[in-house]
Amino acid sequence: MNSAKHPDKIHKEVPCPFCCLLCDDLVIQNRAGILKVRENGCSRAIAHYEQVQPEIQPTIKGKVVTLKDAILHISNILKSSQHPLFSGLGTDVGGLRSTLQLADKTGAIVDHMHSTGLTRNMLVLQDLGWMMTTLTEIKNHADLIVFAGTDAVSGYPRFFERFIWNKNALFNKNTGGRKVFYIGENLDTRPGISPDGQQPVTVQCKHEDIGEFIAILHATLAGDKVNLENLSGKRLKELKLLAYHLTNARYGVLVWAPGEMDFPHAELTIQALCEMVKFINRSTRFGCLSLGGNDGGVSAVNVSTWQSGYPLRVNFNNGYPEYDPSRFSTDNVLKNNEADALVWISSFDTNTRPPKADIPVILLATPATEPDFTPDVFIPVCTPGVDHAGYLFRTDSVVSLPLKQVRVSGYPSVKHILDCVSGLI
Ligand code: SF4
């Protein structure tokens, strides 16, 4: 790295690309190319921003080559491929646009590393719809927050700091008085303790049983006849308490994380949550919030939808986009030998690993990535929101934030690589 390219600078109001909350208040110091998070970063942000970049070169089958040769080799692999698969897709809106363009040109299947969770949501949206709220609405309005199957902070560290116990809110002058409920097991409920020590209420429940609990709660709210004889006294008390607070909230929010609902047909549990929220809206204001889509996942869903008409798991092999959320998952495509080349993209998190596959693997990943096999081509790429400007969608999908460049990198962007490859095909 050339330190002359890095004048000492403090960057303020920097949006962090390392989870889908995209906190936009970080203060990052760049001193001769070494980054320090000076304010507002969580441990994940600090780990990523402050990671020292190794200096490595592109490789073909482990041998160092020029960037030009690596790009040429990728284009040759894709030209001779009949069914390529583009997956991982850890990049920003610009990188995703280029991915979709190249996928269309080469007849590829497109999927994201976090699609399994995102697809659970998509099935619910396509079937019966939902009533979603936004992070800003929660911050400014909510007086009751129910977490179903997630504690938020394990995956999205600053959620409580930014949106629940925030001091300034436009319409809720008593954010510290917010009621917090958890439904689930093995959740870190400590952040749910209010600033003045008010404990949250936790309904202990296996994640796969949340749907049943919510169905009973919904029926109770609706005044349906429900046989509650088999419920324990404790469970009945929890049910009544939650029913009371849901009905009396002025602005309630129900939060889940589809990636953490990892059991068969979890989409039905999500649908039960959404249907109950719709019902509550007959008498008060209530919204849903889904937490998920790190590594550009929410952006990937949006870009795929506006480019192809479908969310992820789209196949361009027949010359038009075909959508199948099960068949075109990365796991199924590889298991069923439906791809003959894999392009894996991961420009945010160094800990993601491409799946092992018995086909040519092209890896566009951060320089510190250590794949546990030798890919056919590896081009180290820079990170959107650190090494170059760009855009990413937040978890609530309504806001795309402009990312800032806080460091000069010698590594190319995903967009640059894919556009160069596209020009050779
Ligand atoms: S919570 Fe997420 S977006 Fe916010 S600083 Fe941490 S990693 Fe970055």
Side-chain angles (χ1 to χ4, degrees):
M1 296 259 177
N2 179 359
S3 61
K5 288 181 183 169
H6 295 283
D8 286 3
K9 183 163 181 184
I10 303 279
H11 298 265
K12 294 186 176 166
E13 297 181 350
V14 176
C16 168
F18 296 113
C19 90
C20 58
L21 296 186
L22 298 182
C23 302
D24 55 359
D25 59 349
L26 274 69
V27 177
I28 308 285
Q29 180 187 52
N30 182 341
R31 182 171 288 165
I34 306 297
L35 301 182
K36 277 261 172 249
V37 178
R38 287 296 174 203
E39 287 176 37
N40 300 332
C42 66
S43 56
R44 182 184 304 175
I46 291 169
H48 281 94
Y49 276 108
E50 299 189 3
Q51 184 171 44
V52 177
Q53 294 267 58
E55 297 208 10
I56 64 164
Q57 306 298 323
T59 55
I60 295 177
K61 292 190 190 303
K63 285 182 70 176
V64 171
V65 296
T66 64
L67 180 60
K68 196 174 161 197
D69 284 347
I71 288 171
L72 188 63
H73 199 66
I74 295 174
S75 73
N76 287 337
I77 290 173
L78 292 179
K79 271 196 260 186
S80 60
S81 164
Q82 300 298 309
H83 302 99
L85 167 63
F86 287 65
S87 192
L89 304 197
T91 181
D92 64 338
V93 169
L96 289 160
R97 277 180 181 277
S98 299
T99 305
L100 268 286
Q101 193 180 28
L102 187 56
D104 191 11
K105 211 169 184 177
T106 55
I109 293 171
V110 180
D111 191 21
H112 188 274
M113 65 178 97
H114 300 313
S115 276
T116 302
L118 297 167
T119 297
R120 289 183 190 121
N121 269 7
M122 210 44 69
L123 294 175
V124 176
L125 176 62
Q126 290 164 340
D127 194 11
L128 289 175
W130 53 29
M131 298 179 80
M132 283 290 185
T133 186
T134 67
L135 293 172
T136 312
E137 284 276 293
I138 296 171
K139 182 176 172 176
N140 287 315
H141 286 283
D143 60 349
L144 167 72
I145 303 95
V146 180
F147 294 88
T150 182
D151 54 34
V153 289
S154 298
Y156 317 95
R158 294 180 67 204
F159 186 80
F160 274 81
E161 175 200 333
R162 301 255 304 155
F163 307 108
I164 308 298
W165 306 131
N166 52 300
K167 290 201 178 75
N168 302 316
L170 283 177
F171 306 108
N172 184 340
K173 300 296 173 213
N174 180 24
T175 54
R178 286 171 164 159
K179 298 262 178 311
V180 175
F181 282 79
Y182 294 94
I183 308 169
E185 61 179 349
N186 301 325
L187 303 176
D188 180 1
T189 59
R190 290 166 300 176
I193 301 170
S194 74
D196 63 3
Q198 195 74 20
Q199 294 288 328
V201 177
T202 303
V203 178
Q204 286 294 341
C205 178
K206 285 185 180 165
H207 284 192
E208 42 271 62
D209 293 340
I210 292 174
E212 186 183 50
F213 179 78
I214 292 295
I216 297 171
L217 184 58
H218 185 165
T220 306
L221 293 170
D224 293 345
K225 274 194 180 166
V226 188
N227 183 353
L228 301 174
E229 280 174 14
N230 290 333
L231 293 186
S232 67
K234 182 171 177 289
R235 185 62 99 225
L236 199 56
K237 208 171 141 195
E238 290 165 348
L239 191 77
K240 286 182 178 166
L241 185 69
L242 199 43
Y244 171 81
H245 283 286
L246 292 175
T247 314
N248 287 285
R250 278 187 306 106
Y251 194 124
V253 180
L254 203 149
V255 182
W256 73 89
E260 295 171 44
M261 293 212 177
D262 196 12
F263 52 88
H265 300 295
E267 68 275 10
L268 297 178
T269 296
I270 296 171
Q271 191 163 59
L273 298 170
C274 293
E275 289 305 293
M276 184 179 75
V277 166
K278 283 186 205 166
F279 180 83
I280 299 170
N281 271 280
R282 295 182 185 192
S283 56
T284 189
R285 222 167 148 197
F286 222 99
C288 299
L289 181 86
S290 168
L291 286 171
N294 289 355
D295 296 284
V298 183
S299 305
V301 170
N302 283 323
V303 174
S304 177
T305 305
W306 79 55
Q307 299 277 96
S308 74
Y310 296 107
L312 293 163
R313 298 188 169 171
V314 178
N315 184 5
F316 290 92
N317 206 256
N318 284 329
Y320 54 86
E322 256 188 293
Y323 170 63
D324 190 323
S326 172
R327 183 179 161 197
F328 299 143
S329 74
T330 299
D331 284 354
N332 280 339
V333 169
L334 294 177
K335 192 175 73 189
N336 298 330
N337 299 318
E338 290 198 83
D340 56 6
L342 168 65
V343 180
W344 181 268
I345 299 168
S346 178
S347 62
F348 296 106
D349 190 347
T350 50
N351 299 314
T352 60
R353 296 279 179 275
K356 271 189 184 159
D358 215 5
I359 51 178
V361 177
I362 295 156
L363 181 59
L364 308 182
T366 54
T369 303
E370 291 178 352
D372 37 21
F373 61 95
T374 306
D376 288 70
V377 186
F378 179 16
I379 300 184
V381 292
C382 60
T383 299
V386 180
D387 303 310
H388 68 84
Y391 287 90
L392 271 182
F393 279 84
R394 249 173 24 184
T395 189
D396 51 10
S397 197
V398 292
V399 177
S400 71
L401 287 190
L403 305 175
K404 293 183 178 176
Q405 180 184 17
V406 295
R407 177 176 64 192
V408 176
S409 169
Y411 297 110
S413 68
V414 168
K415 179 176 169 47
H416 175 76
I417 303 291
L418 296 182
D419 288 349
C420 289
V421 172
S422 203
L424 294 171
I425 291 179

